[in-house]
Amino acid sequence: MAPWRGLIDSDYRPRLPVHPGTPAVSLHEGNTPLLYSRHLSGRTGCEVWLKVEGANPTGSFKDRGMTVAVSRAVEAGAELVLCASTGNTSASAAAYAARGGIASAVLVPASGVARGKLAQAARYGARIVEIGGTFDDCLRIARALATSPGVALVNSVGNELRLAGQRTVAYEIVDALGAAPDIHCLPVGNGGNITATWQGYVAYDRGRPRIWGFQAAGAAPLVHGAPVPAPRTDATAIRVGSPATWAPAIAARDESGGLIAAVPDAEIFAAYRELGSHDGVFAEPSSAAAVAGLLARHRAGRLSPGSRVVVTLTGNGLKDPDAALRADYSTTSADPTAPDVARSLGLAA
Ligand SMILES: *Cc1c(COP(=O)(O)O)cnc(C)c1O
């Protein structure tokens, strides 16, 4: 079998907006695990699969679009990759810019970016600008600066390059399962991923799932039908009050016969713990919103038994260690002797 060399040099290349001369700026993103969840399947009476996007090179699905956007930016002679971010876009943009040999600058909210993501942007060498405002402020400013010469804005809003790359998740799922699932669950923040996932299934044309998107209850503009000025949730990757990809996200919901619903943080964090302790998958809190949403639909009797369901786990739990250590867990201490450790573990002497 040929080794995996990333999306641009894969069989999906004809579906990506690259030219014969486009340099592939890649960290071998894509080809992520699709894991069967015995736990969630048992809990729901369905066949539940987890698309583990945290296995991408910078730990989130953002790498799928970034390989395309940065490759094209390098081809076009850009000198600076610029983005606004709740964290993962900045980590990905900075990594791909470094790989492509150009500079990056990231605009992030001064509070609410998970520490692992900031650590990534720092180590990939980005210029980090912390803005005393929300993600929505960062995006507004990034868009205003995008017209400067040599600057490539790599946010997904209106960015066909990013969306085209992100569509590949649907191609991989269809190739792995042999057909589209009945239902595809994912968290929704700015709306790019729900849009790209739906468009991917449509373009691949081997069945269409209902798309079930979930927002955090304190940051659910697409559910309420109006922007939320002060979005609140500890799932920081989906703390977005004014989704830039609004109309296409609603179209993905409606054309697929799906829904976009809200889930409270308490349920998001319960699902977050459950995923780790029952499936061995450490995803970030925002990813768990999709699991929480699936379980809520099941509880409400709105999930047909036997459905085949795919859940996108959008990002890696390691990115947000503070969230992980805030949720309840147990430690015990012991003296450095085997008998004392045996005592603290309750093992027979
Ligand atoms: C970006 C991101 C989201 C939200 O995706 P949108 O395209 O903004 O809707 C969800 N989870 C994680 C981990 C993300 O990085």
Side-chain angles (χ1 to χ4, degrees):
M1 198 172 82
W4 180 257
R5 296 178 55 212
L7 293 170
I8 292 177
D9 285 328
S10 76
D11 290 348
Y12 304 128
R13 182 186 178 103
R15 298 178 176 276
L16 296 173
V18 291
H19 311 124
T22 306
V25 179
S26 175
L27 290 160
H28 293 194
E29 60 294 314
N31 196 23
T32 55
L34 183 66
L35 295 181
Y36 178 72
S37 170
R38 197 159 3 114
H39 175 66
L40 292 172
S41 298
R43 196 110 140 51
T44 59
C46 290
E47 181 189 323
V48 182
W49 297 83
L50 305 172
K51 185 63 169 163
V52 186
E53 290 293 279
N56 275 298
T58 77
S60 84
F61 73 85
K62 302 294 198 299
D63 294 343
R64 292 182 182 274
M66 206 56 75
T67 184
V68 180
V70 174
S71 295
R72 287 286 303 275
V74 168
E75 181 183 14
E79 286 158 9
L80 179 74
V81 165
L82 174 71
C83 70
S85 177
T86 57
N88 280 333
T89 301
S90 61
S92 186
Y96 282 81
R99 189 84 179 159
I102 55 179
S104 63
V106 304
L107 312 186
V108 296
S111 74
V113 173
R115 279 201 301 163
K117 304 176 187 181
L118 216 46
Q120 288 181 288
R123 292 283 62 85
Y124 294 135
R127 297 182 62 180
I128 303 169
V129 186
E130 293 189 330
I131 294 186
T134 62
F135 165 78
D136 305 284
D137 294 315
C138 297
L139 183 56
R140 176 175 49 78
I141 296 163
R143 293 172 89 169
L145 300 181
T147 49
S148 304
V151 171
L153 179 68
V154 295
N155 279 103
S156 61
V157 41
N159 188 330
E160 171 57 23
L161 305 177
R162 288 275 311 279
L163 293 177
Q166 288 180 202
R167 282 179 204 131
T168 57
V169 74
Y171 313 157
E172 290 179 12
I173 290 164
V174 169
D175 283 339
L177 296 178
D182 300 312
I183 297 163
H184 188 127
C185 298
L186 78 177
V188 180
N190 213 24
N193 203 31
I194 186 173
T195 300
T197 299
W198 169 241
Q199 290 175 347
Y201 283 113
V202 172
Y204 221 46
D205 201 19
R206 283 162 64 189
R208 298 180 177 195
R210 292 176 191 274
I211 305 283
W212 287 4
F214 297 98
Q215 301 200 286
L222 294 168
V223 179
H224 304 311
V228 174
R232 286 187 19 205
T233 170
D234 285 332
T236 53
I238 51 173
R239 189 189 286 167
V240 177
S242 185
T245 313
W246 188 297
I250 297 296
R253 176 193 72 186
D254 295 346
E255 288 168 18
S256 75
L259 58 91
I260 300 178
V263 280
D265 269 27
E267 290 178 24
I268 293 175
F269 280 87
Y272 169 75
R273 292 191 288 271
E274 209 171 309
L275 261 178
S277 60
H278 291 274
D279 269 317
V281 179
F282 185 22
E284 63 176 285
S286 60
S287 308
V291 176
L294 177 69
L295 293 175
R297 295 288 295 170
H298 171 64
R299 271 199 313 277
R302 307 301 295 274
L303 179 63
S304 306
S307 301
R308 186 181 253 192
V309 181
V310 171
V311 181
T312 308
L313 298 180
T314 46
N316 192 311
L318 287 169
K319 286 169 169 282
D320 196 347
D322 296 312
L325 298 175
R326 205 159 48 226
D328 56 305
Y329 68 105
S330 67
T331 63
T332 49
S333 44
D335 294 334
T337 65
D340 202 49
V341 174
R343 178 200 53 78
S344 77
L345 292 175
L347 298 176

